[in-house]
Amino acid sequence: MRVRRSLTIKQMAMVAAVAVVFIFVFIVIQLFYFVQQNRNDTISRMENMADSVRIPLAQAVLKADIPQAEEVLATLKPAGILSRIDVVLPDQLQTLGISFVPEGKIPRLATRLFSLPVQVSLPLYALGQPGNSQPLAFLVLQADSRYLYRFIISTLSILLTTYLLLALILTVSISWFINRLVIHPIRRVAHELDNMSLQGIGPHQLEIPESHQDDEIGMLVRSYNRNQQACCQGKTGYSEQPSLLVTKNNRLAGFSGSEFAIWLQPQVNMSSGQVVGAEVLLRQQQSDEVWALPEGLIERIEDCGLMVTVGSWVLEESCRVLSVWQRRGIMMPLSVNLSVLQLMHKDMVPALLNLLERYQVDPATLTIEITESRRIDDPQVAANILRPLHDAGVRIALDDFGMGYACLRDLHHLKSVPVDILKIDKSFIQGLPGDAAMVEAIVTLARSLGLKIVAEGIENAQQKDWLIAHDVTHAQGYLFSQALPVAQFESRYLD
Ligand code: C2E
Ligand code: CA
Ligand code: CA
């Protein structure tokens, strides 16, 4: 499919039209300004000239000596800027007039617009000085308009050339930027859709261009993807929950055709039995249509460079769920796992803050779980990244505590960002109540640092009883519930 008139042409024409209007206004203002300067200059030169002959001329006029007066006036001719000199009596009677050059032909419009010719009139007194006496006559000097006309023409051509060149550069550079920033991505999306087979149309998901994650193009692609998902689910009755489809177009051959979704595992207050939150867990639909998170999938997603895409989608879906709940007045918090790769991505903080704002989510209802499955190379950098999130009200949890690469080292650095929650890894919980040493040590450490504790992987009542007896009340595990699809979680715990 081809466009009849590209946006590039349209926006170039628009920029050029706007530039031409502005150029016209600028040129008119500047031309009048420069011409006025030139007039003032000519007037002051003519005043000086008139001043230099005023006394001898007054004497000649007083004596009615016309030849002498003509002689005096002739001394002004070499200055070259005058076209005519007149001596006029107070009753407007002209006594003497000398024309140096015949007045050249100047277009009427120019004489009207710029009030040509330029003239100055100076009184002549008998004693040279005004005193109380009436002027004998007036000396009227008239400038040669051809000079000013030539000046107008040359100024106009310089201004026109300069501004048109500027407008050309401006139009081309603005068009180039708009072309790169807006038209290319739109064209790419249009071609992607255009080249799709009819079968692919249903579940097709577009990739959000890298530099458009946070702008209107990103918004358009996201809305398209969401509509596609809703449409597909409507057609197949397949899943009521939005899911992320990774296609070949996402450059991820290994995951081509995967459908991802988020499921929620409840977190409970074991003392009251109340569900107080949930952890968001990624699920992938398997060939047998069962939703699961296959062993090593997160690592494979990280390895093929999909983690930021999938992770951003998980965050956005979580914010969408929170937003729906909060509009219903439900303030239940969600914990979202954040891979270190995602954490270190330069756009993570602004993108997350933008999400919270866009979905109108209370930041205190979102907890970010930092896992130590990958080494945090520089915990101080991680701390600097987390600080603005924490300052915005987002809670920070350290996941799988005790299992990571260097948890104490990280905790030491992370203490500059108040971590709010330590999650005790399920491998330690499994040893309870017989092997409690590690859990006891972690609980003591967390308490001394003033952190909240969430125990993970509670599978039986003995583990639960031991934790309650040691004042660890918040937990998640199969004893309470496995992860559930969002709709099921809502109907079980929120309705
Ligand atoms: P995790 O963050 O430690 O999540 C808890 C894991 O423990 C979940 O496994 C959960 O199903 C499982 N679990 C919960 N209760 C019990 C229990 O009582 N017994 C046992 N044996 N297991 C229990 P899951 O969903 O397979 O997730 C595995 C890991 O994958 C997660 O560990 C997390 O590190 C990662 N993951 C999951 N979803 C995401 C995601 O959206 N983003 C990132 N970056 N990582 C994720
Ligand atoms: Ca977790
Ligand atoms: Ca964990």
Side-chain angles (χ1 to χ4, degrees), residues 279 281 337 369 371 399-400 423 456 476:
E279 177 172 5
L281 293 165
N337 293 287
E369 293 192 6
T371 327
D399 201 3
D400 300 340
K423 291 190 80 172
E456 267 188 320
Q476 64 190 81

Side-chain angles (χ1 to χ4, degrees), residues 180-434:
R180 295 268 117 197
L181 287 175
V182 180
I183 297 163
H184 268 221
I186 294 180
R187 208 177 284 160
R188 216 177 309 126
V189 166
H191 281 157
E192 197 180 314
L193 291 175
D194 210 25
N195 293 337
M196 251 167 43
S197 64
L198 275 178
Q199 291 90 319
I201 287 175
H204 179 260
Q205 295 281 288
L206 289 170
E207 184 189 353
I208 302 175
E210 182 80 0
S211 52
H212 292 280
Q213 302 278 349
D214 55 353
D215 61 21
E216 286 82 354
I217 293 182
M219 193 165 88
L220 195 72
V221 173
R222 264 192 288 271
S223 308
Y224 169 85
N225 288 346
R226 194 165 308 141
N227 288 350
Q228 286 296 101
Q229 286 166 7
C231 197
C232 274
Q233 284 155 17
K235 267 194 223 152
T236 58
Y238 190 61
S239 155
E240 286 168 24
Q241 196 183 321
S243 52
L244 173 74
L245 182 80
V246 178
T247 65
K248 282 200 188 99
N249 291 325
N250 293 36
R251 294 174 275 114
L252 302 157
F255 291 98
S256 179
S258 297
E259 279 226 348
F260 288 109
I262 59 164
W263 284 32
L264 305 180
Q265 184 180 31
Q267 293 178 332
V268 294
N269 179 334
M270 294 184 289
S271 305
S272 65
Q274 294 281 312
V275 172
V276 290
E279 177 172 5
V280 177
L281 293 165
L282 188 66
R283 291 292 178 264
Q284 184 194 33
Q285 196 179 41
Q286 308 303 299
S287 49
D288 56 3
E289 303 220 334
V290 169
W291 291 86
L293 189 71
E295 184 83 30
L297 182 72
I298 295 290
E299 287 73 17
R300 278 197 291 131
I301 291 175
E302 286 181 335
D303 290 344
C304 73
L306 233 190
M307 197 61 241
V308 173
T309 310
V310 176
S312 308
W313 177 82
V314 171
L315 271 173
E316 176 150 8
E317 275 312 302
S318 309
C319 286
R320 201 180 55 80
V321 170
L322 281 172
S323 159
V324 172
W325 288 355
Q326 287 173 20
R327 268 184 271 133
R328 288 169 56 193
I330 299 164
M331 297 309 284
M332 184 168 293
L334 284 183
S335 299
V336 180
N337 293 287
L338 205 80
S339 144
V340 171
L341 287 184
Q342 229 183 316
L343 178 70
M344 294 298 174
H345 193 269
K346 62 178 173 35
D347 294 333
M348 201 280 289
V349 172
L352 180 50
L353 294 176
N354 178 281
L355 269 184
L356 291 169
E357 198 184 303
R358 192 143 46 86
Y359 283 94
Q360 302 275 296
V361 167
D362 178 355
T365 56
L366 181 71
T367 302
I368 295 297
E369 293 192 6
I370 311 293
T371 327
E372 299 172 30
S373 61
R374 285 214 171 197
R375 182 181 167 173
I376 298 176
D377 285 329
D378 188 343
Q380 196 52 50
V381 173
N384 290 341
I385 295 172
L386 288 171
R387 192 169 297 118
L389 288 183
H390 192 269
D391 290 347
V394 174
R395 306 258 157 89
I396 314 285
L398 214 50
D399 201 3
D400 300 340
F401 188 75
M403 290 299 287
Y405 176 80
C407 50
L408 281 176
R409 181 195 68 147
D410 292 349
L411 193 63
H412 170 68
H413 284 279
L414 283 174
K415 75 173 184 248
S416 61
V417 179
V419 171
D420 304 276
I421 301 158
L422 273 196
K423 291 190 80 172
I424 309 177
D425 190 73
K426 54 182 172 289
S427 59
F428 299 121
I429 302 295
Q430 270 157 18
L432 294 178

